[in-house]
Amino acid sequence: MTAYERHPPHPVGGTIEVITGPMFSGKTEELLRRMRRAAIAKQAVCLIKPLRDDRHGTTDVVSHDARRQSAIAVERAEDIERHIDSLDRRPEVVVVDEVQFFDLEVVDVCNRMADAGIRVIVAGLDLDYLGRPFGPMPLLLAHAEYVTKLHAICSRTGRPAHFSHRVEGGDDHVQIGGAESYEALSRDPYNEAVVREHHRDEA
Ligand code: ADP
Ligand code: MG
């Protein structure tokens, strides 16, 4: 038996790439950079975002340094495949921003697209504002061929920041917001802030 017969190459060769980290870590910037490079390679690229991320009042994906790109806003993960199937030309690259907002179905959707030969690039928060793994992210990180963890700059220490601290608002799990509601913190300042708020809430 030849090596080829033992390990036949995947007939189409799609992959999953995950870009993750806290708010302001440059996930959207990096996603848009990979998209631009795919466009230079003349590949068809499709950019998707969840409908519930209505920060910019449009269906555009916008980074915190004001780069923007028009996107298709969808409500549920299954809508991603429905949209891809409706296109005349199947995209070589499917990009999903704010992927943490979708339910677990998005993991199957990404795997099916990659199995069908599509390069799938997703970006999302690894942790919620309470420091807990966010929605489908643990599974996406496990299934991905490539993972990029980014860090923001801690607003208190200037060190690499791994946590998104909610500075304003209630305790809903999902609260859409930007610099007015969240700050990026490294571990010690984040832990101090969480303990302080816990005692304040108890008082
Ligand atoms: P993400 O998608 O991870 O929230 P973006 O790609 O939208 O991040 O934004 C990254 C940009 O945010 C940086 O290039 C920088 O201009 C800006 N920025 C604002 N606050 C911070 C911070 N605390 N740390 C790093 N970048 C920040
Ligand atoms: Mg972003």
Side-chain angles (χ1 to χ4, degrees):
M1 187 189 282
T2 64
Y4 174 80
E5 285 165 328
R6 275 201 310 278
H7 301 289
H10 193 286
V12 278
T15 48
I16 300 176
E17 298 164 36
V18 176
I19 303 165
T20 192
M23 288 185 67
F24 312 108
S25 62
K27 299 182 297 298
T28 300
E29 266 176 14
E30 176 60 19
L31 188 119
L32 296 179
R33 189 184 79 93
R34 293 186 195 184
M35 274 186 71
R36 279 198 303 279
R37 292 170 61 86
I40 290 169
K42 299 196 170 24
Q43 294 170 347
V45 182
C46 177
L47 175 59
I48 310 271
K49 70 171 210 174
L51 201 53
R52 73 196 300 184
D53 174 19
D54 57 1
R55 268 180 298 180
H56 304 285
T58 69
T59 56
D60 287 4
V61 163
V62 184
S63 71
H64 290 110
D65 70 340
R67 291 172 188 269
R68 69 167 60 222
Q69 184 74 45
S70 62
I72 304 295
V74 302
E75 194 162 346
R76 300 174 53 81
E78 301 89 283
D79 300 334
I80 299 173
E81 282 175 308
R82 208 165 298 134
H83 174 71
I84 305 297
D85 290 343
S86 75
L87 297 173
D88 291 339
R89 176 181 170 189
R90 200 185 69 162
E92 277 105 339
V93 185
V94 172
V95 182
V96 186
D97 200 9
E98 303 289 356
V99 71
Q100 78 279 352
F101 286 149
F102 289 108
D103 62 21
L104 292 184
E105 176 66 20
V106 78
V107 182
D108 291 338
V109 169
C110 288
N111 270 316
R112 277 198 296 270
M113 290 193 294
D115 289 345
I118 294 175
R119 177 183 173 203
V120 180
I121 311 174
V122 302
L125 291 165
D126 42 5
L127 301 175
D128 66 13
Y129 79 106
L130 294 172
R132 300 171 305 199
F134 209 134
M137 293 304 290
L139 288 170
L140 285 169
L141 288 162
H143 281 282
E145 276 91 343
Y146 303 101
V147 172
T148 305
K149 271 225 180 195
L150 300 175
H151 301 91
I153 305 297
C154 174
S155 57
R156 313 248 172 115
T157 64
R159 291 202 301 265
H162 177 53
F163 297 92
S164 311
H165 176 232
R166 186 178 286 174
V167 288
E168 175 228 84
D171 50 11
D172 288 348
H173 184 226
V174 174
Q175 181 186 302
I176 306 293
E180 74 296 344
S181 320
Y182 294 94
E183 64 177 343
L185 293 180
S186 52
R187 187 174 289 269
D188 287 353
Y190 176 78
N191 286 340
E192 281 162 25
V194 170
V195 169
R196 200 171 46 242
E197 283 154 19
H198 181 73
H199 289 313
R200 187 196 58 203
D201 292 345
E202 277 197 332

